[in-house]
Amino acid sequence: MAFGISIFTPIVLLLDAFIIGIIVGVLAGIGFFIYMMWEIRRQEREESTKTMQNQRAYHRQFAIAMGSYVAILMFTVYLLDHIEAQPIRMIVAILPMLPVLYGLWGYMEWIRNLDELQQKIQLEAIAFSMGLTGVITFTWGFLSGVGVPPLHAIWVFPMMIVLWGIGQFVAQRRYA
């Protein structure tokens, strides 16, 4: 759900329709989750037990991380409306990063346990994401100098994730 919400947040900002953006985001997140489960079932028929155990462990940890992220984010938004002390507000504001770090740790474990071909696919996907994110943000920086609104840093990580997914799709097709 967090993936879907983050993808459709621009709808919320552009249309000023928070409820519609949340509904679309949640539906996209559920759709992504269903696709992930379908893909896991397909891979189970093709891959080894060790690979599937690694995949299941990663998806379990990722689901816990993202579920915690959404819950903590909602709690944080509520708390920030009721706290006035700036130092405490800063601490509360970064609380959602704890489950994100847990998800990152799970991702790193997943990468370490992949076979060499899958590691190569992930490397290509990450290189694609990092390179294209750099090109987009650098270009946007130049455009900001001529009147385009600045790109806020909060959008860089979701951009990297989306581009990683595209890069992974392309790299997997290359080696299939």
Side-chain angles (χ1 to χ4, degrees):
M1 288 190 307
F3 173 81
I5 290 170
S6 69
I7 296 300
F8 288 98
T9 300
I11 290 174
V12 174
L13 297 175
L14 294 175
L15 300 179
D16 197 28
F18 185 73
I19 299 299
I20 293 172
I22 294 297
I23 290 170
V24 171
V26 167
L27 290 175
I30 290 170
F32 179 70
F33 181 75
I34 290 170
Y35 171 74
M36 246 177 27
M37 293 298 106
W38 175 78
E39 189 66 23
I40 288 171
R41 298 275 187 240
R42 186 188 64 76
Q43 288 177 359
E44 282 179 345
R45 294 186 297 267
E46 299 174 4
E47 296 186 24
S48 71
T49 304
K50 183 180 177 190
T51 302
M52 288 315 302
Q53 287 173 345
N54 183 37
Q55 192 81 354
R56 279 191 204 108
Y58 169 66
H59 285 286
R60 184 175 34 257
Q61 194 167 4
F62 183 77
I64 291 168
M66 290 301 101
S68 300
Y69 171 77
V70 170
I72 291 172
L73 183 63
M74 290 176 167
F75 183 65
T76 297
V77 169
Y78 171 79
L79 281 180
L80 288 174
D81 287 341
H82 296 86
I83 297 173
E84 292 188 26
Q86 188 64 16
I88 295 172
R89 287 176 59 83
M90 291 172 72
I91 292 169
V92 169
I94 62 171
L95 284 177
M97 295 314 298
L98 294 174
V100 170
L101 290 172
Y102 178 70
L104 176 62
W105 176 63
Y107 175 72
M108 296 302 296
E109 287 295 313
W110 176 66
I111 292 286
R112 282 185 199 104
N113 292 316
L114 289 174
D115 64 30
E116 290 83 10
L117 176 60
Q118 291 302 314
Q119 285 179 344
K120 183 175 183 175
I121 289 170
Q122 291 304 313
L123 175 64
E124 287 186 24
I126 292 166
F128 174 81
S129 172
M130 188 178 78
L132 196 51
T133 299
V135 167
I136 291 169
T137 57
F138 201 67
T139 302
W140 202 294
F142 282 125
L143 292 173
S144 294
V146 294
V148 174
L151 177 67
H152 295 283
I154 199 164
W155 296 112
V156 174
F157 188 57
M159 182 188 319
M160 290 174 71
I161 292 171
V162 169
L163 292 174
W164 165 71
I166 293 169
Q168 186 176 0
F169 177 80
V170 170
Q172 282 181 335
R173 296 301 176 255
R174 177 176 298 149
Y175 296 106

